[in-house]
Amino acid sequence: QVQLVESGGGLVQAGDSLRVSCAFSGGTFSSYGMGWFRQAPGKEREFLAAISGPGTKTFYVSSVKGRFTLSRDNAKNTVTLQMGSLRPEDTAAYYCAAGLDRHGSPLLMEYEYNHWGQGTQVAVSS
């Protein structure tokens, strides 16, 4: 059974950088596309970025493109979201998710992800 565990959240100041990671277990990691989502209080869950199973293709939504970098280590079964130039509006619970990668492309739709982590909190002060 696939399990995902996020780590690395915390409290930072605006303009700082922070890295959140997700450890994968219970399956063949390279067969899964990985994505990051976030949910702020009172808001809907928001898709941020995705990476293909082999790690050769990534996708970012416009709000984080150029500030966030998604990478994966298929030998260590981990995926990492490096966040830079953080803003107060980046404050949210961050979740990693996994879904089978059947086409070698990032999974862009939330319904394609069927495994979720418990989330890690990121808070950015102004």
Side-chain angles (χ1 to χ4, degrees):
Q1 180 174 340
V2 170
Q3 290 189 326
L4 304 173
V5 179
E6 298 97 336
S7 61
L11 174 63
V12 297
Q13 293 187 331
D16 284 352
S17 298
L18 188 67
R19 183 171 56 192
V20 290
S21 297
C22 176
F24 173 102
S25 62
T28 303
F29 185 52
S30 60
S31 296
Y32 285 81
M34 301 296 295
W36 282 91
F37 296 74
R38 68 186 179 192
Q39 188 167 21
K43 295 189 176 182
E44 293 187 354
R45 187 159 58 193
E46 175 188 14
F47 169 67
L48 300 177
I51 188 167
S52 61
T56 53
K57 298 178 183 178
T58 54
F59 176 87
Y60 302 90
V61 298
S62 59
S63 61
V64 305
K65 193 171 185 178
R67 300 191 299 125
F68 291 10
T69 302
L70 182 56
S71 61
R72 65 188 295 159
D73 185 337
N74 284 354
K76 295 183 178 179
N77 287 8
T78 58
V79 61
T80 299
L81 184 67
Q82 179 70 45
M83 303 183 289
S85 301
L86 284 164
R87 307 164 180 167
E89 54 263 40
D90 293 317
T91 295
Y94 283 69
Y95 299 89
C96 69
L100 283 173
D101 178 1
R102 294 181 172 87
H103 305 293
S105 296
L107 305 178
L108 305 185
M109 306 302 292
E110 186 169 329
Y111 71 81
E112 296 180 283
Y113 294 93
N114 46 16
H115 303 283
W116 294 82
Q118 83 288 350
T120 187
Q121 187 66 41
V122 172
V124 184
S125 63
S126 57

